[in-house]
Amino acid sequence: MVGIFDSGSGGLSVLREALKLLPQEKYIYFSDNAFCPYGDKDPEFIKNRCRTITELLLSKGAGIIVVACNTATAAAISTLRAEFPIKFIGMEPAVKLAAENTSTGVIGVLATAGTLAADKYKNTKDRFGNDARIVERVGQGFVELVENGDLESPHSREVVGQVLLPILEEKADRIVLGCTHYPFLEATMLRIIGDFRAEHHTDYGIELIDPAPAVVRQLTKVMEAEGIRHGKEGKVILHSSGDREILRRLYSTISV
Ligand code: DGL
């Protein structure tokens, strides 16, 4: 069984990809929504939450765990790998892919304050940023929109626009979604990008980059290398530390 966890429902954007690539697998998803958001919490606090969640997922039978949260990956994945005898797959803002594909030479990275401040992200940027100019912004209010299921309203458009438009104005043409909650705001972002392109007559395409497909490919590789047996019939179990209704509602939008 594959364990997947996040501070909230955002990690469902990773589960969504996993269900496409490994539909026969059994998954247990844990949302730590009683403690959401993680984005501005102390890394030590996040590490302790990750330990507790890992123990719970192991006790339920998880044989491998996806830390479907960039903030938790940055704060805790090396600790988890050192302390638990199973494999962990983490998230990584897709700076490499963005830097390799930009035509304007400017990439945007949207993530939480915790991710942007972490050494892990700084190393990624140094190694893979090439010569791209990187415009970083915290998706202020985005996690709350997703947890409230407010994905496409005028209010969500206002909140998202305040963060996204300044990045577009800097001429970024590849926007890295460095938080697993953000892909749920994709429709709103694409609308804002469409309007921006029309208004500014941009002659370059603008793309959002979600690392979830790459993370799930990595999960598949590691499962194969470790000889972890694949499930026979797909099943998803949902758990949360807080209200489960929020999680159920968003899950119903990704499952078929
Ligand atoms: N979904 C998370 C991430 O990928 C964390 C959001 C939060 O709790 O602030 O970073």
Side-chain angles (χ1 to χ4, degrees):
M1 181 157 63
V2 179
I4 303 185
F5 75 88
D6 177 39
S7 63
S9 306
L12 293 177
S13 62
V14 180
L15 177 61
R16 174 171 61 188
E17 292 305 318
L19 290 171
K20 284 183 204 158
L21 203 63
L22 299 170
Q24 79 288 7
E25 213 55 65
K26 196 168 166 189
Y27 298 94
I28 175 164
Y29 182 94
F30 186 86
S31 156
D32 200 17
N33 58 356
F35 298 94
C36 185
Y38 279 179
D40 42 18
K41 291 209 170 53
D42 182 69
E44 280 308 311
F45 175 85
I46 297 172
K47 260 185 217 169
N48 283 330
R49 289 305 305 155
C50 290
R51 286 186 177 106
T52 304
I53 296 164
T54 297
E55 277 159 11
L56 178 106
L57 293 174
L58 292 180
S59 76
K60 304 272 181 199
I64 185 163
I65 292 181
V66 182
V67 183
C69 174
N70 292 262
T71 316
T73 300
I77 202 154
S78 40
T79 305
L80 296 175
R81 285 179 174 144
E83 294 181 5
F84 294 93
I86 57 152
K87 290 284 175 189
F88 290 89
I89 311 295
M91 301 301 300
E92 177 117 32
V95 170
K96 185 169 188 270
L97 193 61
E100 283 169 356
N101 290 291
T102 174
S103 63
T104 60
V106 185
I107 67 175
V109 176
L110 283 169
T112 67
T115 297
L116 295 177
D119 287 343
K120 197 166 190 314
Y121 169 67
K122 289 186 184 141
N123 293 338
T124 301
K125 213 166 55 166
D126 292 346
R127 277 184 68 197
F128 301 119
N130 292 341
D131 293 329
R133 189 157 71 79
I134 305 181
V135 182
E136 294 159 358
R137 288 283 185 284
V138 172
Q140 207 65 54
F142 290 16
V143 169
E144 290 76 4
L145 289 176
V146 175
E147 290 297 317
N148 292 330
D150 185 1
L151 307 181
E152 292 184 53
S153 71
H155 171 65
S156 68
R157 205 179 156 134
E158 171 74 29
V159 172
V160 173
Q162 266 175 18
V163 178
L164 186 57
L165 281 169
I167 300 180
L168 300 178
E169 272 149 19
E170 297 270 354
K171 288 200 162 45
D173 67 341
R174 293 294 178 274
I175 318 273
V176 174
L177 304 181
C179 167
T180 53
H181 279 77
Y182 301 172
F184 288 107
L185 295 166
E186 187 176 21
T188 294
M189 290 190 200
L190 290 177
R191 213 162 298 143
I192 293 167
I193 289 170
D195 289 351
F196 177 86
R197 292 198 64 203
E199 195 183 320
H200 294 261
H201 309 289
T202 58
D203 55 0
Y204 52 88
I206 301 173
E207 282 175 24
L208 301 172
I209 303 181
D210 175 6
V215 167
V216 174
R217 283 197 298 275
Q218 177 67 4
L219 167 68
T220 311
K221 252 194 242 164
V222 174
M223 286 178 80
E224 268 151 27
E226 292 294 305
I228 297 173
R229 272 194 300 131
H230 287 298
K232 288 203 179 68
E233 46 178 329
K235 188 174 178 184
V236 177
I237 303 165
L238 299 175
H239 275 279
S240 63
S241 52
D243 181 359
R244 200 167 307 167
E245 207 33 53
I246 298 163
L247 181 63
R248 282 215 189 99
R249 230 180 298 137
L250 202 59
Y251 176 69
S252 70
T253 70
I254 68 151
S255 56
V256 274

